[in-house]
C-alpha cells in the first residue's frame, strides 16, 4: 500500500535526522453536495481531498507539519519544519503513545451511500419544493434545500506500534421554509442525518418547518419575566453542543471551563446524567479508537447531578493525573492533538414530550435558539440567546413566540432541570462527534421580551 | 505547478460536455500559526494547502469539483463526474491564454515566511502587556497566523493570471477573574502585508486594551433590555453594517430575489447620513487583494450613497443572472469552494459629528465601545450581536459599564434609524463565514448612533 511506503520513507529519514518518534496521520474524503432552489440545481459539487499530517518528537519536543500535497516530495520539508517548530515549544506534555491492544481496521460505513448517481435525490429535492409550498400558501421559498453525502478514511501509523484505519460515511439533508405575510418574513429550518440511503425523505422535516415558519408570522414577544421553559430536544441538543467544550480537560486545564475544580461536586439536579458513548446507536458517528490509538469507551460525565470526570487525551491525563478517556481527537490534518466528545448526551428520562407539555401549567416551549456561537461564554457559563417557540398555558400550546431572549448560566440550567423527556435527539455531528439531548424542562429562566 | 496545456485540456473537456464557460483555480499556500497560552508557546504548525477547483457554467447554472490530485487524467475524471447533465458539444473553443499582469498594490517588504523567533517575540510582548495590566488578569492567549497564497486562475475565455497574497494577523484574548466571576476581552490586528506591518502596531496597547475590556466587565451589572438609542463606536463596530446590510447586498442573495434589497437599486434604503463603501483596493488592508478569486481586478464599490442604494456586490455567475458586470467581488476561502459575491473592506464613510457631540446629544441609551460577534438571517434581515464592552449613557455622559447586552433588529430598520455619523472612521479585522467559506474582511465605520434599537439584556431596571 502507498501509505505504508510513505510511512517507511518518513520513518527512515526521521531516524537518520535524529528524531525519537514519528507518526503519519492520513485523511482522505469524498463528498457530494447539492442545493436546489426554485426547481434549479443551484449547487452540484463533487469533491475529493486528501492530505497528511506528520507528527514527530525531536529532542523531547513534539512538532507537526501538514500538507495536502501528499507524496514523497514533502518528506524533507516536513521534517525540517518539525525540527524548527518543535524547538520553539515551551511545553513538553505531549507524547506519541502506543496502542494498548492491536485493533482491526474499523468501519462505520453503509454501502447504500456508495454510488455516483444522484438523480433520484435531486428529483426528490425538487419535488419537496412543491410539496412544502402546498402546506401553506404563505410559504414562498425554500432558502435551504441541501443534500450532502460524505465518506472519510483515516490512517494512522507511528513508530510506537500504532497502525490502524477507520472508514465512515453519512448523509445529511437540510431544509428551510420561508414564510411571508406582507412585510413580514420568517424562516424555520430542519436537519435529517443518517447513513442509510433508504431513510432519505423530507416528509417529517417538512411537516415541522412548514408549521413553525407560518406560526412565526403571527408570533409576538412575551412579557419580560421569569418563566418555566421546555427546551425541545433539538434546541436542547444545540445548546448542549455549544457548551460541549466545558467537559474538555484541555479547557479545564487552561482555565477556560466553568467546570474547573468541580469534580465530585454536585453541579446539577439528581435527574441529570450526562454520558459520552462512542457506541450509542442513536448517534450518527461511532468509533473504536481515538486519533492517538487509545480505545474509546462509554463514560458517565455527570452522574445524577455529580460531576464525575472530564474528557481526556494522553496529554491532559498525564498532566492532570486522571484516566485517559480515549478522547484524543484531531479534527483534520490541520489540527493538532486535541480533545473531543464522541457522542455526548443527556440520558433520556421516561416522560414523553406530550406529557411534558401537558404538565406545564404556564411557560414557554423553546423550539429554536440563535446566536449560539456569539451569545454564550464557556468560561463563565453565561448565555443570552435570541429564541423562538410557543407560549404554553394549562398544558396547551398556545400562540407562537418570537423576539425574545433567554438568558442564564449553564450551571443554573443543570440545577434547575425539573423533567427530562424520552425523546433523545442527536444534532448534526461536527466530524469528530455529536451531541444529543431529549427535551428538558427548566424552571426559572430569565426571558426578555416586551 | 501545472502545465498550461493540462489546464487547456481540462477546460476543453468541460466545454465539450456542454458547459459554456469553465474556470480553474489552483492554490499553493504556505501557512504558519503559533499559539501562546499563559506566556508559553503551546502550539506551532506549518503546513501547505494544495489543490485545484474547476467550475463549469451551463447558462445560469454551474457545477464545481475540486481535488488535490493535479494529474490530467484525474482532473478529466472529476469533471466528467461533476457534469451530471451531459450535452455533447462539437463546436468547442477554448481561447488561447493571454497572461494578465496585475498591478501589485500591496508592497511586501519582509516576507512573512521569515524568522519564527520574531513572531514569538511579538506574542511574548503582547502577553506580558496583557498580564501586566492588572492582577485580576488570570489568563492570556495570543495567536499569530500568517500565510503566503500562490494562485493561478485561468478560464475558457483565455484569461490566465498568477498572483500572490500575503496575510498576517495577531490576536490576543485576556481573561479577568475575581470572586468566581470570569470575563474576557480581545483585540486583533491584521493586514495584507509582510512582517513589517507590526512596526506600526502598538503591541503594548493591544495587550493592555484586551485586559482593560476584561477587567471592566468584571462585576458590572447586566444591561437593561428594551428599545433605546444605541451609540456604536468606530472600528470593529462596522461589523453591524457588514452583517445587517452587507450580506444582503451580495449578489448571492440578490440574484435569487430573496434579499430584502432585491430590486431596490436607486431607492432609499438608509438614512441620508449613510454612505457605505466596499473597497478591495486599499493598499495592504486585511480584506484587499489585487484580483478577486475569479481573476477580476478588485475595485472601490459605492454601495449606498447618502441613503440611496447604488450598487450590489457582484460575482461573475450571479452577474450573468442579473445582467450586470462583476464588481470584482468573487471570493472564496480556498480551492475547496466555488467563488461567490463577498465583501472585502466594507465601511460606513465619515460624517460630520464628533464623538463628544454624539454622546452629549444622547440623554439615555447604550454605548457599545467594542462589538462581539453576530449573525444575520439573510432571508429575513434579522440580526443579533453580542456587545463585548458596553456602557449606559445617562444625561449625555458615559455612565456605568454593563455586560451581557445583545443588539437585535433588522438591517433595514437599523440603517434607517442612524441619526448621527461621526468623523472618526476606523477599520477592524475579521473573518467572514458564508457560502464560499471563511475569508479575511475589514469592517469599519466612524462612531454612529441608531436612534432606537432593541437591546436584549437581563435587567428590568433602566
Amino acid at each position: 500500500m502507498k501509505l505504508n511506503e510513505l510511512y517507511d520513507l518518513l520513518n527512515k529519514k526521521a531516524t537518520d535526522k535524529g528524531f525519537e518518534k514519528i507518526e503519519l496521520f492520513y485523511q482522505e474524503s469524498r463528498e457530494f453536495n447539492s442545493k436546489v432552489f426554485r426547481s434549479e440545481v443551484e449547487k452540484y459539487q463533487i469533491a475529493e481531498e486528501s492530505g497528511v499530517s506528520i507528527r514527530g518528537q525531536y529532542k523531547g519536543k513534539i512538532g507537526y507539519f501538514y500538507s495536502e500535497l501528499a507524496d514523497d516530495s514533502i518528506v524533507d520539508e516536513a521534517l525540517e519544519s518539525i525540527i524548527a517548530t518543535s524547538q520553539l515549544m515551551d511545553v513538553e506534555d505531549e507524547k506519541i503513545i502506543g496502542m494498548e491492544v492491536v485493533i482491526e481496521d474499523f468501519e462505520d460505513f453503509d454501502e447504500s451511500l456508495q454510488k455516483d448517481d444522484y438523480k433520484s435525490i435531486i428529483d426528490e429535492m425538487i419535488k419537496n419544493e412543491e410539496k412544502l409550498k402546498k402546506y401553506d400558501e404563505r410559504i414562498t421559498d425554500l432558502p435551504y434545500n441541501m443534500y450532502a453525502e460524505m465518506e472519510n478514511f483515516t490512517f494512522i501509523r507511528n513508530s510506537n506500534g500504532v497502525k490502524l484505519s477507520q472508514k465512515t460515511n453519512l448523509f445529511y439533508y437540510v431544509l428551510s421554509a420561508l414564510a411571508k405575510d406582507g412585510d413580514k418574513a420568517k424562516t424555520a429550518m430542519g436537519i435529517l442525518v443518517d447513513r442509510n440511503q433508504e431513510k432519505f425523505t423530507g416528509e417529517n422535516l417538512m411537516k415541522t418547518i412548514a408549521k413553525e415558519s407560518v406560526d412565526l408570522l403571527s408570533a409576538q414577544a412575551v412579557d419580560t419575566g421569569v418563566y418555566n421553559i421546555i427546551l425541545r430536544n433539538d434546541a436542547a441538543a444545540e445548546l448542549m453542543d455549544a457548551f460541549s467544550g466545558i467537559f474538555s480537560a484541555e479547557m479545564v486545564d487552561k482555565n477556560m471551563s466553568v467546570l474547573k475544580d468541580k469534580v465530585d461536586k454536585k453541579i446539577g439536579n439528581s435527574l441529570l446524567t450526562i454520558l459520552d458513548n462512542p457506541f450509542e446507536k442513536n448517534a450518527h458517528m461511532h468509533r473504536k479508537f481515538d486519533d492517538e490509538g487509545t480505545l474509546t469507551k462509554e463514560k458517565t460525565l455527570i452522574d445524577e447531578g455529580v460531576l464525575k470526570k472530564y474528557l481526556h487525551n494522553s496529554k491532559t491525563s498525564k498532566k492532570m493525573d486522571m484516566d485517559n478517556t480515549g478522547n484524543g481527537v484531531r479534527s483534520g490534518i490541520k489540527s493538532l492533538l486535541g480533545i473531543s466528545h464522541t457522542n455526548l448526551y443527556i440520558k433520556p428520562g421516561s416522560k414523553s414530550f406530550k406529557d411534558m407539555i401537558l404538565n406545564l401549567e404556564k411557560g414557554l416551549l423553546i423550539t429554536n435558539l440563535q446566536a449560539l456561537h456569539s451569545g454564550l461564554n464557556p468560561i463563565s457559563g453565561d448565555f443570552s440567546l435570541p429564541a423562538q417557540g410557543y407560549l404554553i398555558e394549562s398544558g396547551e400550546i398556545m400562540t407562537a413566540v418570537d423576539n425574545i431572549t433567554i438568558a442564564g448560566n449553564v450551571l443554573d440550567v443543570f440545577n434547575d432541570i425539573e423533567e427530562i423527556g424520552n425523546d433523545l435527539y442527536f444534532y448534526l455531528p461536527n466530524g469528530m462527534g455529536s451531541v444529543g439531548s431529549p427535551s428538558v424542562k427548566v424552571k426559572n429562566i430569565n426571558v426578555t421580551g416586551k | 505547478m501545472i502545465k498550461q496545456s493540462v489546464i487547456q485540456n481540462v477546460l476543453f473537456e468541460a466545454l465539450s460536455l456542454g458547459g459554456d464557460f469553465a474556470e480553474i483555480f489552483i492554490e499553493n499556500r504556505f501557512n504558519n500559526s503559533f499559539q501562546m497560552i499563559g506566556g508559553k508557546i503551546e502550539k506551532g504548525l506549518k503546513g501547505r494547502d494544495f489543490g485545484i477547483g474547476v467550475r463549469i457554467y451551463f447558462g445560469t447554472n454551474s457545477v464545481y469539483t475540486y481535488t488535490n490530485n493535479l494529474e490530467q487524467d484525474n482532473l478529466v475524471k472529476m469533471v466528467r463526474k461533476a457534469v451530471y447533465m451531459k450535452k455533447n458539444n462539437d463546436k468547442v473553443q477554448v481561447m488561447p491564454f493571454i497572461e494578465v499582469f496585475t498591478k501589485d498594490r500591496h508592497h511586501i517588504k519582509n516576507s512573512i515566511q521569515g524568522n519564527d523567533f520574531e513572531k514569538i517575540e511579538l506574542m511574548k510582548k503582547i502577553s506580558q502587556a496583557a498580564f501586566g495590566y492588572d492582577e485580576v488578569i488570570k489568563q492570556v492567549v495570543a495567536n499569530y497566523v500568517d500565510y503566503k497564497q500562490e494562485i493561478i486562475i485561468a478560464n475558457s475565455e483565455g484569461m490566465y493570471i498568477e498572483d500572490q497574497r500575503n496575510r498576517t494577523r495577531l490576536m490576543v484574548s485576556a481573561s479577568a477573574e475575581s470572586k468566581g466571576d470570569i470575563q474576557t476581552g480581545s483585540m486583533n490586528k491584521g493586514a495584507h502585508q509582510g512582517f513589517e506591518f507590526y512596526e506600526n502596531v502598538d503591541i503594548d496597547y493591544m495587550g493592555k486594551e484586551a485586559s482593560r475590556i476584561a477587567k471592566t466587565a468584571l462585576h458590572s451589572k447586566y444591561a437593561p433590555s428594551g428599545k433605546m438609542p444605541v451609540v456604536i463606536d468606530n472600528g470593529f463596530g462596522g461589523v453591524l453594517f457588514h452583517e445587517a446590510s452587507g450580506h444582503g447586498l451580495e449578489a448571492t442573495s440578490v440574484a435569487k430575489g430573496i434579499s430584502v434589497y432585491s430590486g431596490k437599486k436607486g431607492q432609499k434604503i438608509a438614512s441620508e447620513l449613510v454612505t457605505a463603501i466596499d473597497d478591495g483596493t486599499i493598499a495592504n488592508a486585511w480584506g484587499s487583494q489585487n484580483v478577486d478569486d475569479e481573476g477580476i481586478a478588485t475595485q472601490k464599490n459605492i454601495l449606498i450613497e447618502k441613503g440611496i442604494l447604488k450598487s450590489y456586490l457582484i460575482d461573475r455567475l450571479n452577474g450573468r443572472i442579473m445582467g450586470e458586470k462583476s464588481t470584482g467581488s468573487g471570493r472564496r476561502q480556498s480551492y475547496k469552494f466555488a467563488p461567490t459575491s463577498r465583501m472585502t473592506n466594507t465601511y460606513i464613510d465619515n460624517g460630520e459629528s464628533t464623538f463628544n457631540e454624539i454622546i452629549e446629544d444622547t440623554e439615555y441609551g447604550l454605548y457599545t465601545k467594542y462589538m462581539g460577534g453576530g449573525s444575520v438571517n439573510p432571508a429575513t434581515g434579522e440580526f443579533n450581536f453580542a456587545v463585548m464592552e458596553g456602557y449606559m449613557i445617562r444625561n449625555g455622559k458615559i455612565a456605568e459599564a454593563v455586560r451581557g447586552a445583545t443588539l437585535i433588529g433588522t438591517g433595514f430598520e437599523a440603517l434607517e434609524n442612524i441619526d448621527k455619523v461621526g468623523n472618526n472612521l476606523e477599520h477592524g479585522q475579521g473573518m467572514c463565514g458564508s457560502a464560499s467559506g471563511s475569508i479575511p474582511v475589514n469592517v469599519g465605520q466612524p462612531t454612529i448612533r441608531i436612534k432606537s434599537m432593541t437591546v436584549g439584556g437581563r435587567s428590568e431596571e433602566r
Side-chain angles (χ1 to χ4, degrees), chain A residues 38 40-42 44-50 65-66 68 77 90 185-187 254 334 371 379 407 448, chain B residues 31 41 45 47-50 61 64-68 74 84 182 225 256 335-336 377 380 382 384 457:
Chain A
R38 291 186 186 155
E40 298 265 357
V41 179
E42 186 186 80
Y44 194 96
Q45 178 170 298
I46 301 259
E48 55 175 32
E49 57 184 294
S50 60
F65 178 82
Y66 77 88
E68 292 176 337
E77 185 187 350
D90 290 320
K186 291 289 164 188
T187 58
K254 286 178 186 154
K334 296 183 189 180
I379 304 175
T448 304
Chain B
N31 300 287
I41 292 290
L45 181 63
R48 200 156 150 195
D49 300 348
F50 181 81
N61 289 326
Y64 194 72
T65 181
Y66 66 82
T67 173
N68 318 103
N74 184 59
Y84 62 101
I182 307 171
S225 44
K256 282 190 205 169
Y335 68 90
K336 292 178 188 174
N377 180 337
T380 63
E382 294 165 312
N384 60 74

Side-chain angles (χ1 to χ4, degrees), chain A residues 3 42 143 183 207 250 281 285 296 341 351 355 442:
Chain A
L3 287 172
E42 186 186 80
D183 276 350
K207 214 184 283 171
E250 198 175 4
K281 62 179 191 316
M285 294 188 72
T296 56
H341 52 271
K351 281 253 161 59
D355 285 345
V442 188

Side-chain angles (χ1 to χ4, degrees), chain A residues 30-31 35 37-38 40-51 53 63-69 74 77 81-82 84-85 88-91 93 116 119 122 141 143 178 180 185-187 224-226 250 253-258 315 319 333-337 370-371 374-375 377 379-380 382-386 388 402-405 407-409 446 448-449, chain B residues 29-31 34-37 39-51 60-69 74 77-78 81-84 116-117 120 124 138-139 141 175 177 181-184 222 225-226 252 255-258 333 335-338 372-375 377 379-380 382 384-386 403-406 408 435 455-460:
Chain A
R30 258 175 274 282
E31 188 192 319
K35 262 179 89 176
F37 185 71
R38 291 186 186 155
E40 298 265 357
V41 179
E42 186 186 80
K43 181 175 186 182
Y44 194 96
Q45 178 170 298
I46 301 259
E48 55 175 32
E49 57 184 294
S50 60
S53 169
Y64 289 79
F65 178 82
Y66 77 88
S67 178
E68 292 176 337
L69 183 64
I74 54 111
E77 185 187 350
S81 292
I82 292 171
T85 46
L88 294 169
M89 296 300 115
D90 290 320
V91 283
D93 305 325
D116 272 331
K119 194 172 178 314
I122 300 274
D141 266 315
L178 172 67
K180 275 189 175 163
K186 291 289 164 188
T187 58
T224 296
V226 175
E250 198 175 4
D253 183 47
K254 286 178 186 154
N255 249 334
M256 292 167 86
S257 163
V258 69
K315 184 173 157 180
K319 192 170 177 195
I333 58 164
K334 296 183 189 180
S335 111
L336 312 187
L337 175 65
Q370 290 154 17
S374 55
N377 182 339
I379 304 175
S380 64
D382 283 344
F383 62 85
S384 173
L385 306 165
Q388 296 170 329
D402 194 7
N403 296 321
I404 59 166
T405 305
N409 186 285
N446 280 311
T448 304
Chain B
R29 178 170 146 161
F30 301 86
N31 300 287
F34 293 100
Q35 185 175 57
M36 177 177 271
I37 299 177
K40 288 183 170 167
I41 292 290
E42 289 213 356
K43 285 179 183 170
L45 181 63
K46 293 173 180 292
R48 200 156 150 195
D49 300 348
F50 181 81
T60 54
N61 289 326
S62 74
V63 299
Y64 194 72
T65 181
Y66 66 82
T67 173
N68 318 103
N69 179 347
N74 184 59
K77 183 193 82 190
M78 295 299 286
K81 271 194 193 180
V83 180
Y84 62 101
D116 291 334
F117 294 106
I120 305 290
K124 274 189 186 150
K138 294 286 160 32
Q139 186 58 289
V141 179
S175 307
E177 187 180 354
D181 184 20
I182 307 171
Q183 295 292 327
T184 57
Y222 286 105
S225 44
T252 318
K256 282 190 205 169
I258 58 165
Q333 177 181 332
Y335 68 90
K336 292 178 188 174
F337 295 84
S375 63
N377 180 337
T380 63
E382 294 165 312
N384 60 74
F385 282 90
R403 67 162 89 173
T406 51
I408 301 164
V455 175
R458 241 191 276 181
S459 164
E460 287 177 65

Side-chain angles (χ1 to χ4, degrees), chain B residues 25-134:
Chain B
F25 178 88
I26 302 171
E27 179 177 14
N28 187 29
R29 178 170 146 161
F30 301 86
N31 300 287
N32 289 298
S33 67
F34 293 100
Q35 185 175 57
M36 177 177 271
I37 299 177
K40 288 183 170 167
I41 292 290
E42 289 213 356
K43 285 179 183 170
L45 181 63
K46 293 173 180 292
R48 200 156 150 195
D49 300 348
F50 181 81
I52 182 171
V54 185
R55 194 184 204 195
I56 308 160
Y57 289 15
F58 300 83
T60 54
N61 289 326
S62 74
V63 299
Y64 194 72
T65 181
Y66 66 82
T67 173
N68 318 103
N69 179 347
L70 267 58
E71 299 287 327
Q72 181 168 311
D73 290 352
N74 184 59
L75 294 173
V76 167
K77 183 193 82 190
M78 295 299 286
V79 164
R80 284 185 185 151
K81 271 194 193 180
V83 180
Y84 62 101
M85 306 271 267
K86 293 178 179 60
K87 280 182 287 183
N88 281 331
N89 184 353
D90 306 331
K91 292 184 205 140
V92 173
Q93 202 186 0
V94 173
M95 302 301 284
F97 290 145
I98 299 166
E99 227 164 298
V100 181
F101 292 95
T102 53
K103 181 168 173 253
D104 190 0
R105 294 193 195 86
H106 311 290
H107 182 61
I108 308 293
K109 211 163 72 188
N110 302 325
S111 166
I112 44 179
Q113 299 301 310
N115 197 331
D116 291 334
F117 294 106
E118 283 182 297
K119 297 168 191 171
I120 305 290
E121 279 309 308
L122 208 58
M123 299 168 80
K124 274 189 186 150
K125 204 172 154 190
I126 205 162
S127 287
Q128 281 164 4
F131 270 120
Y133 177 77
D134 193 289

Side-chain angles (χ1 to χ4, degrees), chain A residues 159-176:
Chain A
S159 54
N160 245 11
V162 169
K163 187 181 173 190
L164 43 83
S165 76
Q166 170 164 280
K167 198 171 156 187
T168 62
N169 65 357
L170 58 78
F171 77 80
Y172 63 89
Y173 183 44
V174 186
L175 259 181
S176 81

Side-chain angles (χ1 to χ4, degrees), chain A residues 208-226:
Chain A
T208 314
I209 65 173
K211 180 169 166 27
E212 279 176 27
S213 61
V214 170
D215 285 350
L216 281 169
L217 288 173
S218 58
Q220 300 283 337
V222 291
D223 290 331
T224 296
V226 175

